Amino acid sequence: MAGSIPTPRPGGSMTHQEAVSRAIEIAGHVLAPAAADNDKAGRFSAEAVDALGRTGLLGLMLPAESGGAGLGPRTFAAVTATLAEADASVAMVYLMHALGAATIGSARSGATVGPVLADIAAGRHLSTLAFSEAGSRSHFWTPISRARRNGSGGVRITASKSWVTSASHAQSYIVSALSPEGVSPTDLTLYVVPAGAPGLSVAGPWDGLGLRANASAPMTLSDCEVPSELQITDDGAGFQAMMSIVLPLFNLGTAAVALGICRAAVQATAAHLKSARFEHLNQSLGESLPTLRAQLAAMQIDTEGLSARVDDLIDHLERPRDATMLRVLETKAAAGDTAIAVTSAAMRACGGAAFSKHTSIERFFRDAHAGAVMAPTGDVLREFIARIVLGMPLF
Amino acid sequence: MAGSIPTPRPGGSMTHQEAVSRAIEIAGHVLAPAAADNDKAGRFSAEAVDALGRTGLLGLMLPAESGGAGLGPRTFAAVTATLAEADASVAMVYLMHALGAATIGSARSGATVGPVLADIAAGRHLSTLAFSEAGSRSHFWTPISRARRNGSGGVRITASKSWVTSASHAQSYIVSALSPEGVSPTDLTLYVVPAGAPGLSVAGPWDGLGLRANASAPMTLSDCEVPSELQITDDGAGFQAMMSIVLPLFNLGTAAVALGICRAAVQATAAHLKSARFEHLNQSLGESLPTLRAQLAAMQIDTEGLSARVDDLIDHLERPRDATMLRVLETKAAAGDTAIAVTSAAMRACGGAAFSKHTSIERFFRDAHAGAVMAPTGDVLREFIARIVLGMPLF
Amino acid sequence: MAGSIPTPRPGGSMTHQEAVSRAIEIAGHVLAPAAADNDKAGRFSAEAVDALGRTGLLGLMLPAESGGAGLGPRTFAAVTATLAEADASVAMVYLMHALGAATIGSARSGATVGPVLADIAAGRHLSTLAFSEAGSRSHFWTPISRARRNGSGGVRITASKSWVTSASHAQSYIVSALSPEGVSPTDLTLYVVPAGAPGLSVAGPWDGLGLRANASAPMTLSDCEVPSELQITDDGAGFQAMMSIVLPLFNLGTAAVALGICRAAVQATAAHLKSARFEHLNQSLGESLPTLRAQLAAMQIDTEGLSARVDDLIDHLERPRDATMLRVLETKAAAGDTAIAVTSAAMRACGGAAFSKHTSIERFFRDAHAGAVMAPTGDVLREFIARIVLGMPLF
Amino acid sequence: MAGSIPTPRPGGSMTHQEAVSRAIEIAGHVLAPAAADNDKAGRFSAEAVDALGRTGLLGLMLPAESGGAGLGPRTFAAVTATLAEADASVAMVYLMHALGAATIGSARSGATVGPVLADIAAGRHLSTLAFSEAGSRSHFWTPISRARRNGSGGVRITASKSWVTSASHAQSYIVSALSPEGVSPTDLTLYVVPAGAPGLSVAGPWDGLGLRANASAPMTLSDCEVPSELQITDDGAGFQAMMSIVLPLFNLGTAAVALGICRAAVQATAAHLKSARFEHLNQSLGESLPTLRAQLAAMQIDTEGLSARVDDLIDHLERPRDATMLRVLETKAAAGDTAIAVTSAAMRACGGAAFSKHTSIERFFRDAHAGAVMAPTGDVLREFIARIVLGMPLF
């Protein structure tokens, strides 16, 4: 099926609209037909990654000099939401890759990341993040693991990473660890660890409520050696990279995933209310039941509100101002709640048909619960937001 | 494991406390160990039904003269909630059986139901309901199918039944159909159809979001012959039986299932908040996070509120008064919403641990969504309640 | 109007049903006709207190040997809810009096409270609590003020009390203060201070969103002398009295007030939906709008759920068991939320008619917000509940 | 105080930023100091209208050729939100005037509205709408009253109008009535009726829960003669004007009012949490209580979400597209709910301080409930939205 997607020009020259069109093509031809089966089987879609690579979308935000398309958060959000409308698991894989690529793309001058960037631009390299640890749970900004000097300029890392999206499918992992000589709990450094590195292994299968096809497994680093060239931030500069590069795009991206899920839920609910009928009344559910219409409307209202928020955040990222960090935090918190609210309403509105999997709604509903769970969680975001509003220190 | 349950005296002599104790035993030894696997595999627990039969619980509400324990709604609710705390799928199987048994037990004088009742009392017969139809969906009180006279006192029924719990596992099905000469859309009759009846067949597998182990498949009756002895209500009296026998017990039972799920969710959440730790803070989640404590408390408050409601409904069923039908309707509506609210809060409070199935919470969460879906749905209940409050006709 | 209430036998001999009947009489003849005007003017209803006194209801829970009716929490809750249905301000005055009377009634042996109890039983004495202080806000269990020995066995108290119900209308105030030699922040003592005591004064007018007719003003004690006979707990035993006597009855009473408000809101909403009409459709709002019916039903469901909770708490107070303190805490938390939810729904359902005060609903709505505000607040209650569930210390 | 506002250049030449600055000035110097007193007294602020007139803001959206500033919905929304932050009653007066002015400004060619427009531009004329009628309640698109030909080209109108903002303070009222020969229930015509017209009278005082200072009284037209020059739509074209001119601006304007209220509530809550202290803990409430911080954050999140929505709607009104009507409907529905949610959270977070009017929060809370009540109500909006999504006819 993926074969039906026209081979694009090299990624480097792509407009916003072209990128979105390619995402629509892939969503329709590669993602949608396989989403239900991949969800059921918990199967990672290598086909989807392949299609994203061939169409240049893996290099979407890399600068032109690295062979990327040089596009920004607006296109990234549109592509991610489009993918999520068909398969949120793939959208999350894409999102995590984009974060990895952006982190690598902003590597310190001493790092050697040219080949990796070239591979990403060429669509041959999928990256991802490996931040959260079992010991510090959702507080991803505070690793428990500490890198140790290996005597030849590099480090050795032993860590228990949880929730690594695309685990065993990515070509590289952005790994965080406390800096060898760091003193504060956020004095951390980032490294890019290639897939085949000795000591790096997937620690278990992935079996979640939702996003079942994104291979979010735990991974173990056991005395894993990382040479100096693959240290991508200066010692202790990892936290800053997390806050300035990863967090804004991650929050935008998860909001885009939530938006895609919400849109899919609205469409599926409307379709069900139009097609399902009370034979004894000779009416569709939608015609017969004002209270179901009210629920559908509430879903639509919430979905478009999230869309407006995403647009607003994009505007803030394109033209940063004082309130930008607040918007970054607010948007993910709202997106997580909105996706749950909208898909929960869809479950209610479609009742038994949704519950017994006659529609895709229960998949949207399960997938929707991932966003609120991924750190920074809603509780943490609200704590940060309140501290900013009250003028209290964040950490 | 079931072997460890002491063989009880014959069901006919059982106190409330004995019945609950037997349910606790079965829940702990038969249900709990297998619940996760049965959920995953969508496997019906014949072992559970066997244990319920051997301990006399299948005949719980049958009168002593039929060999039953002669117990009432109070014990039925307690047993059902106890089972649901360990495995809501089994609790729903039990509930549907109890409704079937109660319907058979109140059969019109012309019916021949003695042998079936004896088998139920002896723990050898599982019954269930087959009311809802594809054409009239959740409006179970309005079948599309109409029984036709077969010329020898009985009828032939052709119907497409949806959502038959214990499908292909029950020994009998209580089937509704429009009466042969009925005129109004609720002029229906009930029949008990034995499992092997020609023309009766399961129409597909069960694959739902929750209650995955209760075999809630659609069934087809294709020119299925039912002799006069198995017509258990008078012609057209099926609606009255639905309203006076089935509805009160069904609503009480689903509320009890919801209560069991809520209790399990509170316990699992408390256990998680006590055991999961932030290593970097050397605190449990519960000690560290006041906002999680607030969520746990809200769950506890809602759960005990549902418990108080169930007690209140039992009191109303034991001593019926004017408001009893309102309580019947209100309790199911509240129970469905409460189960969803409590388990949703548990999902939030336990975050990634719940999402990635490290606890049973996501099973409780999925199971909790069944209650609101089963007719009469929340929307229908609210419509009926408002009509009663406003003095408008119900149908 | 009050004159139409039949003079009862002396309070000492009153059944539950008689007490409720008297409350119904007073609610209908004294409270209901004046509630709207008293609310508007912020006028304390001396007539209501007079009627409550004459009918023996002020001595409801005092033991027969003190001349009281010797009735328990069940009757107290029913009377309070009945009053609240007509005027929540009066119900709150009654509630605070009942707490004061119960505290005085359980005075330490060294206190001289016989005359006060006799006056209460005779309906000539209204009491109330003065616990909360400006400095410790809602943490009423931690006064800032500390009693100082006056050299003749008594104490002098200087304190800034906030929110004293019936301020300047009560004959006595139960005042808390840190014990003269107390060390912990909850080492406090209770005193009964008569209305005319030198140094005791009302510190400002009452102008609240709701409960406008209950005179909840701040009060100041300025070097106020309290003789030993009016110290009603042993030194440092005030906290224990708060927890064992005041808290259970206060939480039950506020839940009863909330229940009365909810019932009034359901009735007023139903009445509006039946009487208000769309002339162009020739239908009442209730007939025309299924979504309004759904809101009315949700109100009814919530109200009856609160009723079941109140019954459950009464049962726990009559037969205390392990979970009783949890129920005490849960019930107030739930009641506060329920009253707000039900009256908010009433505001929505009745729209402009409610907003523009064509019904009493906006008064119920304003009054409903008092419960959640009165300490222990919902946040505090949830914190306590979670600590109990998690096995953490309460303070 | 109003005197401190610099006399602007004539309204006709004003930028967006100048308009907003003038609104900020007026809000700070005229509205804020008087808002609490006007609310308490239910007093209409003639000073505010005067200031709005003198600064050219009454002619904000009138075209330059009529002497207006020729500004659009973006400035209108910003000005309205700014006013609402200080006093929502004045903001609503302004909003209703803007709708009246826009309707007059788009009068049919046969109407004589030049003098009125000139007065508006000069700041000497306040207009408002008189649409809703007692008989058809919130269905303002279906008047009960019907204009009758007066034999000289004009009409006579007898109508019972409810909820006329600025009643008895405006210089003109835009009145709707069924067209003399209209056949459908929406076949209506609009007229501009000057304040002094014989037969036009205010039918009662205004005493509402909120927006107490906007004089929203009922008005009566009793055989009120309207000459042909003051018929501002063609016969039967009133409905179209309501939908295309009034509805978009009204929904935008009420959303802007809601936004201003939300912003005020966030600021007041943050201020309270920073200043109110637990003396015994030596901490502010905000420092002490994570659950209050969570509520403040939720308020902030909701407020900024509404802000994003308003921006999105403005963008749609500036560049209309297919979804624009949906956005018009969604935004008011969301705004009404958001204002209630945010101010309700503020009430909870500020507890007794808010309830006892030590902050302005309870005024914001009361005012917030106006939006959802004003037609089209939330229920009606959701019904329309669902019908659009489902492809069903709107009326």
Side-chain angles (χ1 to χ4, degrees):
Chain A
M1 268 170 298
S4 67
I5 299 177
T7 305
R9 293 162 294 160
S13 51
M14 186 169 22
T15 65
H16 171 86
Q17 196 47 56
E18 284 169 341
V20 174
S21 296
R22 291 174 197 184
I24 291 172
E25 282 286 316
I26 294 172
H29 291 98
V30 183
L31 273 55
D37 287 347
N38 286 344
D39 168 70
K40 196 172 179 69
R43 182 182 166 280
F44 184 89
S45 177
E47 298 82 354
V49 173
D50 183 58
L52 291 164
R54 281 188 296 106
T55 52
L57 292 175
L58 290 186
L60 188 83
M61 288 192 290
L62 289 188
E65 57 268 30
S66 303
L71 292 164
R74 183 173 301 273
T75 313
F76 165 64
V79 166
T80 303
T82 299
L83 298 177
E85 221 173 304
D87 187 336
S89 288
V90 173
M92 188 56 68
V93 166
Y94 182 72
L95 159 57
M96 285 306 194
H97 165 78
L99 299 176
T103 309
I104 299 170
S106 63
R108 68 188 178 104
S109 54
T112 307
V113 296
V116 169
L117 292 176
D119 278 1
I120 290 175
R124 289 187 303 261
H125 185 115
L126 184 75
S127 192
T128 192
L129 304 184
F131 284 0
S132 299
E133 302 198 354
S136 50
R137 311 186 68 90
S138 59
H139 293 185
F140 65 84
W141 55 86
T142 310
I144 298 294
S145 66
R146 182 177 300 283
R148 286 164 299 120
R149 302 283 178 209
N150 68 356
S152 53
V155 296
R156 284 204 192 84
I157 303 175
T158 294
S160 172
K161 295 290 181 180
S162 47
W163 291 89
V164 181
T165 298
S166 308
S168 85
H169 296 275
Q171 274 72 42
S172 67
Y173 302 86
I174 311 299
V175 169
S176 58
L178 290 172
S179 305
E181 295 85 19
V183 289
S184 90
T186 60
D187 196 345
L188 58 93
T189 305
L190 299 184
Y191 307 87
V192 53
V193 178
L200 180 74
S201 61
V202 174
W206 166 236
D207 180 18
L209 174 67
L211 292 191
R212 295 179 51 76
N214 79 348
S216 284
M219 290 188 78
T220 302
L221 288 89
S222 178
D223 238 353
C224 184
E225 200 121 6
V226 186
S228 170
E229 309 91 76
L230 297 182
Q231 175 180 332
I232 53 179
T233 69
D234 288 329
D235 284 348
F239 179 78
Q240 176 58 23
M242 278 183 177
M243 292 299 128
S244 63
I245 300 167
V246 176
L247 188 66
L249 287 176
F250 178 65
N251 284 13
L252 174 61
T254 51
V257 171
L259 180 56
I261 292 173
C262 289
R263 285 179 175 156
V266 169
Q267 288 164 20
T269 300
H272 178 70
L273 296 190
K274 283 199 274 195
S275 65
R277 299 185 71 77
F278 286 125
E279 288 182 20
H280 57 304
L281 304 174
N282 194 25
Q283 280 187 316
S284 71
L285 298 196
E287 289 163 345
S288 182
L289 294 172
T291 51
L292 292 195
R293 292 201 296 272
Q295 291 181 44
L296 175 63
M299 293 168 59
Q300 164 75 11
I301 292 169
D302 283 354
T303 298
E304 292 308 324
L306 178 53
S307 176
R309 262 185 207 280
V310 167
D311 286 348
D312 181 58
L313 176 56
I314 291 167
D315 190 65
H316 270 272
L317 294 179
E318 288 177 348
R319 301 182 295 123
R321 55 210 101 151
D322 282 355
T324 298
M325 179 51 77
L326 266 177
R327 293 301 167 278
V328 165
L329 300 172
E330 291 161 9
T331 303
K332 179 172 187 293
D337 288 349
T338 302
I340 290 176
V342 168
T343 57
S344 295
M347 288 298 297
R348 272 197 305 279
C350 299
F355 190 79
S356 55
K357 305 197 176 184
H358 295 163
T359 74
S360 298
I361 287 169
E362 64 88 40
R363 172 164 60 89
F364 307 148
F365 173 66
R366 288 184 287 105
D367 287 351
H369 281 75
V373 158
M374 301 181 81
T377 62
D379 268 14
V380 164
L381 291 164
R382 281 186 286 271
E383 174 70 5
F384 286 172
I385 291 165
R387 285 174 171 272
I388 292 175
V389 172
L390 292 172
M392 293 167 64
L394 272 197
F395 288 94
Chain B
M1 270 170 296
S4 68
I5 300 177
T7 306
R9 293 163 295 161
S13 49
M14 188 167 21
T15 65
H16 170 85
Q17 198 46 55
E18 284 170 340
V20 175
S21 295
R22 291 175 197 185
I24 292 172
E25 282 285 317
I26 294 172
H29 291 97
V30 184
L31 273 54
D37 288 347
N38 286 343
D39 168 70
K40 196 171 180 67
R43 182 183 167 280
F44 183 89
S45 177
E47 297 81 356
V49 174
D50 183 57
L52 292 165
R54 281 187 296 105
T55 52
L57 293 175
L58 291 186
L60 189 83
M61 286 192 290
L62 289 189
E65 58 266 29
S66 303
L71 291 164
R74 183 173 301 272
T75 312
F76 165 62
V79 166
T80 303
T82 299
L83 298 177
E85 220 173 305
D87 187 336
S89 287
V90 172
M92 189 56 69
V93 166
Y94 182 71
L95 159 58
M96 286 306 196
H97 165 77
L99 300 175
T103 310
I104 298 170
S106 64
R108 70 189 175 102
S109 54
T112 306
V113 295
V116 169
L117 293 177
D119 277 1
I120 290 175
R124 290 187 303 262
H125 185 115
L126 185 74
S127 191
T128 192
L129 305 184
F131 284 0
S132 299
E133 301 199 352
S136 50
R137 310 186 69 89
S138 59
H139 293 186
F140 65 83
W141 56 85
T142 313
I144 299 294
S145 66
R146 182 178 300 281
R148 286 163 298 119
R149 301 285 178 205
N150 69 355
S152 53
V155 296
R156 283 204 194 82
I157 303 176
T158 294
S160 172
K161 295 292 180 179
S162 47
W163 292 88
V164 181
T165 298
S166 309
S168 86
H169 295 275
Q171 275 72 41
S172 67
Y173 302 86
I174 312 298
V175 170
S176 59
L178 291 172
S179 305
E181 296 84 19
V183 289
S184 90
T186 59
D187 195 346
L188 58 93
T189 305
L190 300 184
Y191 307 87
V192 54
V193 178
L200 179 74
S201 60
V202 174
W206 167 236
D207 180 19
L209 174 67
L211 292 190
R212 295 178 52 75
N214 79 348
S216 284
M219 290 187 78
T220 303
L221 288 90
S222 179
D223 238 355
C224 183
E225 198 121 6
V226 185
S228 171
E229 308 90 76
L230 298 182
Q231 176 180 332
I232 52 180
T233 68
D234 288 329
D235 284 348
F239 179 78
Q240 175 58 22
M242 277 183 177
M243 292 299 128
S244 63
I245 299 168
V246 176
L247 188 66
L249 287 175
F250 178 66
N251 284 13
L252 173 61
T254 52
V257 172
L259 179 57
I261 292 173
C262 289
R263 285 179 175 158
V266 169
Q267 288 165 18
T269 300
H272 179 70
L273 296 190
K274 284 198 275 193
S275 65
R277 299 186 71 75
F278 286 126
E279 287 183 20
H280 57 306
L281 304 175
N282 193 25
Q283 280 187 316
S284 71
L285 298 197
E287 289 162 346
S288 182
L289 293 172
T291 51
L292 292 195
R293 291 201 295 273
Q295 290 181 44
L296 175 63
M299 293 168 60
Q300 165 74 11
I301 292 169
D302 283 355
T303 298
E304 292 308 325
L306 179 54
S307 176
R309 261 184 208 282
V310 168
D311 286 349
D312 182 59
L313 176 55
I314 291 168
D315 189 65
H316 270 273
L317 294 179
E318 289 178 346
R319 301 182 295 123
R321 54 210 103 150
D322 281 356
T324 297
M325 179 51 76
L326 267 176
R327 291 304 166 276
V328 164
L329 300 172
E330 291 162 10
T331 303
K332 179 172 186 294
D337 288 349
T338 301
I340 289 175
V342 168
T343 56
S344 296
M347 288 299 296
R348 273 197 305 278
C350 299
F355 190 78
S356 56
K357 305 197 176 184
H358 294 163
T359 74
S360 298
I361 286 169
E362 64 87 41
R363 173 164 60 88
F364 306 148
F365 173 65
R366 288 184 286 107
D367 287 351
H369 281 75
V373 158
M374 301 181 81
T377 63
D379 268 14
V380 164
L381 290 166
R382 281 186 287 273
E383 174 71 6
F384 286 172
I385 291 165
R387 286 175 171 270
I388 292 175
V389 172
L390 292 171
M392 292 168 62
L394 274 196
F395 289 92
Chain C
M1 271 169 295
S4 68
I5 298 178
T7 305
R9 293 161 296 160
S13 50
M14 186 166 23
T15 65
H16 171 86
Q17 197 46 54
E18 284 170 342
V20 175
S21 296
R22 291 175 196 183
I24 292 172
E25 282 285 316
I26 294 172
H29 290 99
V30 184
L31 273 55
D37 287 347
N38 286 344
D39 168 70
K40 196 171 180 67
R43 182 183 167 280
F44 183 90
S45 176
E47 298 82 356
V49 174
D50 183 59
L52 291 165
R54 282 187 295 106
T55 52
L57 292 176
L58 291 186
L60 188 82
M61 288 193 289
L62 289 188
E65 58 266 32
S66 303
L71 292 164
R74 183 173 302 272
T75 311
F76 165 63
V79 166
T80 304
T82 299
L83 298 177
E85 221 174 304
D87 187 336
S89 287
V90 173
M92 189 58 68
V93 167
Y94 182 71
L95 160 58
M96 286 306 196
H97 165 77
L99 299 176
T103 309
I104 299 170
S106 62
R108 69 189 175 103
S109 54
T112 305
V113 296
V116 170
L117 293 176
D119 277 1
I120 290 175
R124 290 188 302 263
H125 185 114
L126 184 74
S127 190
T128 191
L129 305 184
F131 284 0
S132 299
E133 301 199 352
S136 50
R137 309 185 70 89
S138 59
H139 292 187
F140 65 82
W141 56 86
T142 310
I144 298 293
S145 65
R146 181 178 300 281
R148 286 164 298 119
R149 302 283 177 208
N150 68 356
S152 53
V155 296
R156 283 203 194 83
I157 303 176
T158 295
S160 173
K161 296 290 180 181
S162 47
W163 291 88
V164 181
T165 298
S166 309
S168 87
H169 297 275
Q171 275 72 41
S172 68
Y173 302 85
I174 311 298
V175 170
S176 58
L178 289 172
S179 305
E181 296 83 21
V183 290
S184 90
T186 59
D187 196 345
L188 59 93
T189 304
L190 300 185
Y191 307 86
V192 54
V193 178
L200 179 73
S201 62
V202 174
W206 166 236
D207 180 19
L209 174 68
L211 293 191
R212 295 178 53 75
N214 79 348
S216 285
M219 290 188 78
T220 302
L221 288 88
S222 180
D223 238 352
C224 182
E225 200 122 6
V226 185
S228 171
E229 310 90 75
L230 296 183
Q231 175 181 332
I232 53 180
T233 69
D234 288 329
D235 283 348
F239 180 77
Q240 175 59 20
M242 279 185 176
M243 292 299 130
S244 63
I245 299 168
V246 176
L247 188 66
L249 287 176
F250 178 64
N251 284 14
L252 174 63
T254 52
V257 172
L259 180 57
I261 292 173
C262 289
R263 284 178 175 158
V266 169
Q267 288 164 20
T269 301
H272 179 69
L273 296 191
K274 284 198 275 194
S275 66
R277 300 185 70 76
F278 286 126
E279 288 182 20
H280 56 305
L281 304 175
N282 193 25
Q283 281 186 314
S284 71
L285 297 197
E287 289 163 345
S288 182
L289 293 172
T291 51
L292 293 194
R293 291 200 296 273
Q295 290 181 45
L296 174 63
M299 294 168 58
Q300 164 75 10
I301 292 169
D302 283 355
T303 298
E304 292 308 324
L306 179 54
S307 176
R309 261 184 208 281
V310 168
D311 286 348
D312 181 59
L313 176 55
I314 290 167
D315 188 64
H316 269 273
L317 295 178
E318 290 178 344
R319 299 182 298 123
R321 56 210 102 149
D322 282 355
T324 297
M325 179 51 76
L326 267 176
R327 292 303 166 278
V328 165
L329 300 171
E330 291 162 9
T331 302
K332 178 171 187 294
D337 289 349
T338 302
I340 290 175
V342 167
T343 56
S344 295
M347 288 299 296
R348 273 197 305 280
C350 299
F355 190 80
S356 56
K357 306 197 177 184
H358 294 163
T359 75
S360 299
I361 286 168
E362 66 87 41
R363 172 165 59 88
F364 306 148
F365 173 66
R366 288 185 286 105
D367 287 350
H369 281 75
V373 158
M374 301 181 81
T377 63
D379 269 13
V380 164
L381 291 165
R382 280 185 287 272
E383 175 70 6
F384 286 172
I385 291 165
R387 285 174 172 271
I388 292 175
V389 172
L390 291 172
M392 293 169 64
L394 273 196
F395 289 93
Chain D
M1 270 169 295
S4 67
I5 300 178
T7 305
R9 296 161 293 162
S13 51
M14 186 168 20
T15 65
H16 170 86
Q17 197 46 56
E18 286 170 340
V20 175
S21 297
R22 292 175 196 183
I24 291 172
E25 282 285 317
I26 295 172
H29 291 98
V30 184
L31 274 54
D37 287 346
N38 287 343
D39 168 70
K40 195 171 179 70
R43 181 182 168 280
F44 184 88
S45 176
E47 298 83 356
V49 174
D50 183 58
L52 291 164
R54 281 187 296 107
T55 53
L57 292 176
L58 290 186
L60 188 84
M61 288 192 289
L62 289 188
E65 59 266 30
S66 302
L71 290 163
R74 183 172 303 271
T75 312
F76 165 62
V79 166
T80 304
T82 299
L83 299 177
E85 221 173 305
D87 187 336
S89 287
V90 173
M92 189 57 67
V93 166
Y94 182 71
L95 160 57
M96 286 306 196
H97 165 78
L99 299 176
T103 309
I104 299 169
S106 63
R108 70 189 176 103
S109 54
T112 306
V113 295
V116 169
L117 293 176
D119 278 2
I120 290 175
R124 289 187 304 263
H125 185 115
L126 184 74
S127 191
T128 192
L129 305 184
F131 284 0
S132 299
E133 302 199 350
S136 50
R137 311 186 68 89
S138 59
H139 292 187
F140 65 83
W141 56 86
T142 311
I144 298 293
S145 66
R146 182 178 300 283
R148 285 163 300 118
R149 303 282 177 209
N150 68 355
S152 55
V155 296
R156 282 203 195 84
I157 303 176
T158 294
S160 172
K161 295 290 181 181
S162 46
W163 290 89
V164 181
T165 297
S166 308
S168 87
H169 297 275
Q171 275 72 41
S172 67
Y173 301 86
I174 312 298
V175 169
S176 58
L178 290 172
S179 305
E181 296 84 20
V183 289
S184 90
T186 60
D187 197 344
L188 58 94
T189 305
L190 299 184
Y191 308 86
V192 53
V193 178
L200 179 73
S201 60
V202 173
W206 166 234
D207 180 18
L209 174 68
L211 292 190
R212 294 178 53 75
N214 79 349
S216 284
M219 290 189 77
T220 302
L221 289 90
S222 180
D223 239 353
C224 183
E225 200 122 6
V226 185
S228 170
E229 309 90 75
L230 297 182
Q231 175 180 334
I232 53 180
T233 69
D234 288 329
D235 284 347
F239 179 77
Q240 175 59 21
M242 278 184 177
M243 293 298 130
S244 63
I245 299 167
V246 176
L247 188 66
L249 287 176
F250 178 64
N251 284 13
L252 174 62
T254 52
V257 172
L259 179 57
I261 292 173
C262 289
R263 284 178 176 158
V266 169
Q267 287 164 20
T269 300
H272 178 69
L273 296 191
K274 284 200 274 194
S275 66
R277 300 186 70 77
F278 286 125
E279 288 182 21
H280 57 306
L281 304 175
N282 194 26
Q283 281 187 314
S284 71
L285 298 196
E287 289 163 345
S288 181
L289 293 172
T291 51
L292 292 195
R293 292 200 296 272
Q295 290 181 45
L296 175 63
M299 293 167 60
Q300 165 74 11
I301 292 169
D302 283 356
T303 298
E304 291 308 324
L306 179 55
S307 177
R309 262 184 206 279
V310 168
D311 286 348
D312 181 60
L313 176 56
I314 290 167
D315 189 66
H316 269 272
L317 295 178
E318 289 178 347
R319 300 181 297 123
R321 54 210 103 147
D322 282 356
T324 297
M325 180 49 77
L326 266 176
R327 292 304 167 277
V328 165
L329 300 172
E330 291 161 9
T331 303
K332 178 171 188 293
D337 289 348
T338 301
I340 289 175
V342 167
T343 56
S344 295
M347 288 298 296
R348 272 196 307 277
C350 299
F355 190 79
S356 55
K357 305 197 177 183
H358 295 163
T359 76
S360 298
I361 286 169
E362 65 89 39
R363 173 165 60 88
F364 306 147
F365 172 66
R366 288 184 286 106
D367 287 350
H369 282 75
V373 158
M374 301 181 80
T377 62
D379 268 14
V380 164
L381 290 165
R382 280 187 287 273
E383 174 71 5
F384 286 172
I385 291 165
R387 285 174 171 271
I388 292 174
V389 172
L390 291 172
M392 293 167 64
L394 272 197
F395 289 93

